Amino acid sequence: MEQYDARVDAYIEKSAAFAKPILNHVRQVVHAASPLITENIKWGMPFYEYKGPVCMMAAFKQHCGFGFWKPSRLNDPKHLLTPGEEASAGSFGRITSIGDLPGDEELKGFVLQLMKLNESGVKESVAKKTPTEKKELVTPDDFVAILNQNPKAKEVFEKFSYSHKKEYLEWITEAKTDATRQKRMSQAIEMMEEGKSKNWKYK
């Protein structure tokens, strides 16, 4: 990749008049941060890269967006970055003039941080999900009785995964009438005796 990409020139040129000075300013500041930054076009917008994405900018009808790649990794003691859902328009919200951006030195600092993180291979920290405990499945007595009368179906049912058993049992127990419940149990036995374990629900 080249330090400057002609496609970025074309992108800025076709942008709205208000957006051109903003985009040119961002471009100048990013390159001033480091001569190692290269330009690219991804998803139709200019990206700045160094051993991975660093930041990107975009022009819309009434505002511009400028964002850092995975900004949660950045040290931001002055709280300049837009947090959470508000960051959908970019790291600094909707930008309608150069004055909406932090100072050049702050922006360069963020660029250098991202470059260092990309170089070290540090990934964005993601909170680990607490494993959800599986609830014990309770097979209704009437279905147990039918399974006991049909050894082949019982064998198939007992080999099912937890989630597959759960689907069967929910399908049966969610029946709104006893007649429907009986019909579903019979259909389930029929399907299991045929050794089928997929696409088993009758309409």
Side-chain angles (χ1 to χ4, degrees):
M1 292 293 176
E2 298 294 330
Q3 185 179 11
Y4 289 92
D5 190 319
R7 294 175 298 169
V8 176
D9 292 315
Y11 182 94
I12 294 173
E13 184 59 32
K14 71 178 182 180
S15 299
F18 84 90
K20 290 179 182 179
I22 299 171
L23 299 177
N24 280 318
H25 178 74
V26 168
R27 189 184 197 188
Q28 180 183 359
V29 171
V30 172
H31 282 296
S34 172
L36 299 176
I37 291 284
T38 59
E39 295 181 342
N40 197 1
I41 293 289
K42 289 184 178 180
W43 304 304
M45 68 181 76
F47 265 69
Y48 295 93
E49 302 176 329
Y50 174 75
K51 297 186 177 182
V54 173
C55 54
M56 71 293 291
M57 64 183 186
F60 303 97
K61 289 183 179 180
Q62 297 181 342
H63 73 279
C64 291
F66 175 47
F68 288 97
W69 190 252
K70 298 184 178 179
S72 64
R73 299 180 296 171
L74 293 171
N75 180 30
D76 180 26
K78 295 182 180 179
H79 305 290
L80 299 173
L81 299 170
T82 302
E85 295 180 358
E86 297 176 17
S88 58
S91 297
F92 307 103
R94 293 172 178 264
I95 302 166
T96 58
S97 71
I98 294 175
D100 292 331
L101 289 165
D104 294 0
E105 294 308 312
E106 282 82 7
L107 292 178
K108 290 177 187 177
F110 288 135
V111 170
L112 293 173
Q113 281 191 57
L114 253 303
M115 291 178 68
K116 187 175 181 180
L117 288 168
N118 285 355
E119 190 161 18
S120 65
V122 175
K123 296 182 178 181
E124 184 178 29
S125 59
V126 179
K128 293 184 178 180
K129 293 183 179 179
T130 304
T132 303
E133 289 188 11
K134 292 182 178 180
K135 295 182 180 180
E136 183 180 355
L137 292 176
V138 179
T139 306
D141 291 340
D142 52 352
F143 190 50
V144 171
I146 294 176
L147 285 171
N148 288 334
Q149 294 170 11
N150 297 272
K152 185 176 179 180
K154 182 179 181 181
E155 181 182 357
V156 171
F157 181 75
E158 289 178 345
K159 290 180 179 179
F160 281 161
S161 65
Y162 175 92
S163 59
H164 199 172
K165 285 181 181 178
K166 185 170 179 283
E167 285 184 351
Y168 260 109
L169 296 177
E170 286 180 348
W171 182 57
I172 292 169
T173 58
E174 288 174 359
K176 295 182 179 180
T177 66
D178 185 63
T180 301
R181 180 187 177 99
Q182 295 300 321
K183 180 180 179 182
R184 289 185 179 183
M185 287 194 291
S186 297
Q187 290 172 339
I189 294 297
E190 179 184 342
M191 295 296 281
M192 287 186 281
E193 286 186 333
E194 291 176 2
K196 295 180 180 179
S197 60
K198 295 181 179 180
N199 301 322
W200 49 271
K201 288 187 179 180
Y202 284 72
K203 294 182 180 179

